[in-house]
């Protein structure tokens, strides 16, 4: 399939429906998470039966709605670079972004689905299961917040002065790399939020900059980048280049996202 063959706006609607279906299943499992079976991958990150259930829903939904389009997902077998290097179009999926928050009960978890053309995301959705809100957008589409059962609200946050910026960061207690990066730069304060929810907050104007100096993978950022670019923001590496995908390694470099 050639790049641009699939209309991102049409894809966005269906992707949102699939993400919401998976998210509703996560809510059910979150309510009874005290009995949740948690196992650990080789990198010591947790995975649960809830991840598996959301993965199955998304895999089936994408296969039905977008037959033949490859999918890279955190919770499925990852194709090697030789198998995917010539893909012109594919999905990047994190069926449960923020598994730690899910297990610990912080509420910082979401469902991420992105459609990538070439090396850049053209459409992305992030569903917040506990509130039922869907965030959706793309660089050529715009960006929206869609409250549960309500009409879409366009997202176009206004710029603020540097000294009024809110810095979004993870829930880690110590952030020496972030502190070094922000040293001497004006900002108002920090807000600690887990996972890709930070991209939703940037697109909504509840934060202005998210410097990321901890390990992430392509499925952690692609949907957020599409959303943020649709809202007028950007995700760039430390050289100032637009973040790209389907690299030989699916691990991300450090980046700075912002409005």
């Amino acid at each position: 399939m050639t790049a641009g063959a699939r209309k991102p706006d049409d894809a966005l609607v269906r992707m949102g429906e699939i993400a919401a279906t998976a998210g509703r299943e996560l809510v059910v499992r979150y309510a009874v998470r005290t009995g949740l079976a948690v196992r650990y991958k080789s990198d010591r990150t947790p995975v649960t039966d809830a991840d598996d259930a959301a993965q199955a829903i998304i895999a089936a939904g994408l296969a039905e709605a977008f037959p033949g389009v490859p999918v890279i997902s955190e919770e499925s077998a990852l194709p090697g670079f030789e198998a995917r290097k010539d893909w012109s179009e594919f999905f990047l999926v994190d069926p449960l972004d923020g598994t730690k928050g899910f297990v610990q009960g912080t509420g910082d978890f979401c469902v991420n689905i992105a459609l990538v053309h070439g090396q850049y995301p053209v459409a992305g959705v992030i569903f917040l299961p506990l509130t039922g809100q869907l965030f959706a957008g793309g660089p050529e589409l715009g960006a929206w917040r869609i409250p549960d059962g309500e009409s879409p609200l366009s997202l176009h946050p206004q710029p603020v002065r540097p000294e009024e910026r809110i810095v979004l960061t993870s829930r880690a207690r110590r952030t020496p790399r972030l502190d070094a990066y922000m040293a001497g730069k004006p900002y108002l304060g920090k807000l600690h939020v887990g996972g890709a929810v930070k991209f939703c907050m940037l697109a909504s104007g509840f934060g202005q900059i998210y410097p990321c100096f901890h390990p992430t993978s392509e499925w952690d950022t692609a949907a957020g980048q599409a959303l943020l670019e649709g809202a007028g923001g950007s995700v760039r590496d430390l050289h100032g280049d637009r973040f790209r995908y389907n690299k030989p390694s699916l691990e991300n470099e450090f980046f700075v996202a912002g409005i």
Side-chain angles (χ1 to χ4, degrees):
M1 189 170 295
T2 59
R6 187 172 308 284
K7 290 184 179 181
D9 51 347
D10 292 342
L12 201 63
V13 174
R14 189 69 186 101
M15 290 159 58
E17 294 170 346
I18 294 168
T21 301
R24 286 191 286 270
E25 176 64 22
L26 291 177
V27 170
V28 173
R29 292 172 182 265
Y30 186 73
V32 294
R33 68 186 180 282
T34 52
L36 202 64
V38 181
R39 60 191 189 278
Y40 291 87
K41 303 177 188 177
S42 58
D43 62 359
R44 301 305 299 163
T45 56
V47 61
T48 71
D49 292 344
D51 298 73
D52 298 334
Q55 166 63 26
I57 290 169
I58 293 170
L62 291 178
E64 179 182 0
F66 308 97
V69 180
V71 178
I72 298 175
S73 174
E74 180 178 18
E75 305 307 340
S76 65
L78 300 178
F81 184 60
E82 285 300 312
R84 57 182 168 79
K85 65 180 181 179
D86 295 323
W87 289 356
S88 60
E89 178 181 60
F90 64 98
F91 287 101
L92 273 167
V93 172
D94 192 343
L96 174 47
D97 178 87
T99 301
K100 286 182 181 179
F102 185 91
V103 173
Q104 295 170 359
T106 66
D108 290 339
F109 65 93
C110 55
V111 179
N112 301 339
I113 305 177
L115 175 63
V116 179
H117 283 176
Q119 289 192 302
Y120 300 102
V122 296
V125 298
I126 299 176
F127 184 74
L128 309 187
L130 292 186
T131 64
Q133 292 186 99
L134 177 70
F135 289 79
E140 302 296 328
L141 303 174
W144 299 268
R145 178 174 68 88
I146 308 171
D148 189 13
E150 299 181 25
S151 300
L153 303 172
S154 181
L155 299 176
H156 40 78
Q158 299 301 306
V160 303
R161 293 180 297 180
E163 62 270 21
E164 296 176 338
R165 293 184 301 174
I166 297 297
V167 180
L168 300 183
T169 181
S170 70
R171 290 190 178 275
R173 293 182 179 179
R174 299 181 64 253
T175 56
R177 288 184 176 132
L178 171 63
D179 295 341
Y181 177 80
M182 293 304 300
K185 296 180 175 68
Y187 65 95
L188 182 62
K190 294 179 182 177
L191 189 58
H192 298 270
V193 184
V197 177
K198 290 188 281 291
F199 290 102
C200 302
M201 298 186 71
L202 288 172
S204 301
F206 293 113
Q208 286 72 43
I209 182 171
Y210 165 33
C212 181
F213 296 99
H214 61 267
T216 61
S217 299
E218 292 193 0
W219 47 77
D220 294 314
T221 57
Q225 180 170 340
L227 170 70
L228 192 55
E229 289 180 345
S234 65
V235 180
R236 299 187 179 277
D237 64 26
L238 299 188
H239 302 290
D241 296 323
R242 186 185 180 199
F243 231 42
R244 61 188 181 87
Y245 296 84
N246 202 18
K247 307 180 302 294
S249 170
L250 294 172
E251 294 180 359
N252 286 331
E253 300 177 49
F254 295 153
F255 64 87
V256 178
I259 288 289

